[in-house]
Amino acid sequence: MKITAPRASDKSATYDHIAPHYDKAMRPLERWLLARLRAKTFAALPATARLLEVGAGTGANFGLYPESARGVASELSFKMLELARGKERKRRLHLVQNCAEKLPFADASFDAAVATLVFCSIASPTEAFAELRRVVRAGGTIALLEHVRPKGLLGYVFDALSILTVALFDDHFNRRTAEEAERAGLSITRIERHALGIINIIILKNNEK
Ligand SMILES: C[S@@+](CC[C@H](N)C(=O)[O-])C[C@H]1O[C@@H](n2cnc3c(N)ncnc32)[C@H](O)[C@@H]1O
């Protein structure tokens, strides 16, 4: 497992600051909706897959990995990863610090990938999706739980809100994540919209290149 201290200029610095408060701040949302949606997202993954999680954060999903899970939970922020290390996880799940836009894995290393609440803060979703397409085998599943730009008038509210959230937390409130995934060459298997279409489960399939 490679864990290196990030430089202050790294993008990871944002979440290094947030890390000590993250789990507590998320608790009300988890109770209201997120915990249930996390479980549904993981239910879309094959039980015996070699699995990659990107942006694993403090390890909020570790309890949801299937018993036979093996693979990698990767994360950019050193401090988030440090907290994840303190959580119980499946024996064959390794923790790695890296950037989703530059994954240190060979082509087709995984059968499936998962990310929850990550594509809102990734600097380049285009590059991250290209990397997921490369490291997940053809025909593999990519399951996302993401907050996105909702449809209709609310979308414009989120465009305005995003100016503030990007400045404060590097968090884009108006990402069109499913569309971005399609542009990268992934097929949408299913989208489940929750909370006025703001929080979505997006199940994707990796196509042959
Ligand atoms: C809102 S948190 C979500 C954490 C966790 N997935 C969860 O569901 O609680 C976003 C996470 O994405 C990570 N992240 C942001 N940009 C990233 C990137 N380019 N590569 C990998 N992780 C990234 C952040 O460090 C942070 O831990």
Side-chain angles (χ1 to χ4, degrees):
M1 176 174 64
K2 177 178 170 283
I3 296 190
T4 50
R7 296 184 307 276
S9 60
D10 284 353
K11 272 290 243 173
S12 63
T14 305
Y15 270 93
D16 282 349
H17 291 306
I18 292 171
H21 317 288
Y22 185 80
D23 285 349
K24 193 170 174 203
M26 293 295 284
R27 212 162 286 149
L29 268 178
E30 297 286 350
R31 286 203 189 110
W32 170 56
L33 183 65
L34 284 182
R36 188 166 53 85
L37 299 189
R38 286 181 192 278
K40 284 188 104 176
T41 307
F42 268 72
L45 295 167
T48 55
R50 294 168 298 164
L51 193 58
L52 170 67
E53 179 170 4
V54 294
T58 60
N61 296 319
F62 287 176
L64 297 170
Y65 279 72
E67 218 40 63
S68 56
R70 61 204 156 102
V72 173
S74 68
E75 163 58 44
L76 180 64
S77 154
F78 178 75
K79 295 284 184 193
M80 294 291 270
L81 200 54
E82 225 175 30
L83 292 170
R85 287 178 73 189
K87 297 220 173 111
E88 199 175 316
R89 65 177 192 278
K90 303 294 177 302
R91 197 171 45 84
R92 291 190 297 170
L93 182 66
H94 302 286
L95 301 188
V96 175
Q97 186 186 19
N98 63 42
C99 179
E101 292 95 330
K102 209 170 177 1
L103 295 170
F105 309 114
D107 297 359
S109 304
F110 300 97
D111 300 305
V114 63
T116 61
L117 313 174
V118 175
F119 276 84
C120 49
S121 52
I122 269 178
S124 171
T126 307
E127 286 175 32
F129 277 126
E131 278 293 81
L132 284 179
R133 282 207 72 198
R134 184 182 66 75
V135 303
V136 173
R137 68 166 172 76
T141 301
I142 297 167
L144 307 179
L145 171 63
E146 295 292 342
H147 69 80
V148 300
R149 185 186 193 278
K151 291 184 191 304
L153 284 179
L154 201 53
Y156 297 101
V157 177
F158 273 61
D159 288 338
L161 206 56
S162 197
I163 298 168
L164 188 69
T165 56
V166 170
L168 289 176
F169 325 109
D170 260 345
D171 192 343
H172 298 254
F173 267 44
N174 60 350
R175 286 258 159 98
R176 293 170 163 94
T177 301
E179 291 86 332
E180 192 80 54
E182 264 193 316
R183 262 198 299 279
L186 294 158
S187 298
I188 297 174
T189 308
R190 174 164 62 93
I191 300 184
E192 248 184 61
R193 295 187 173 80
H194 298 270
L196 304 173
I198 296 165
I199 303 179
N200 291 351
I201 294 173
I202 304 166
I203 308 302
L204 304 158
K205 186 177 165 200
N206 197 12
N207 296 313
E208 298 282 349
K209 276 114 199 154

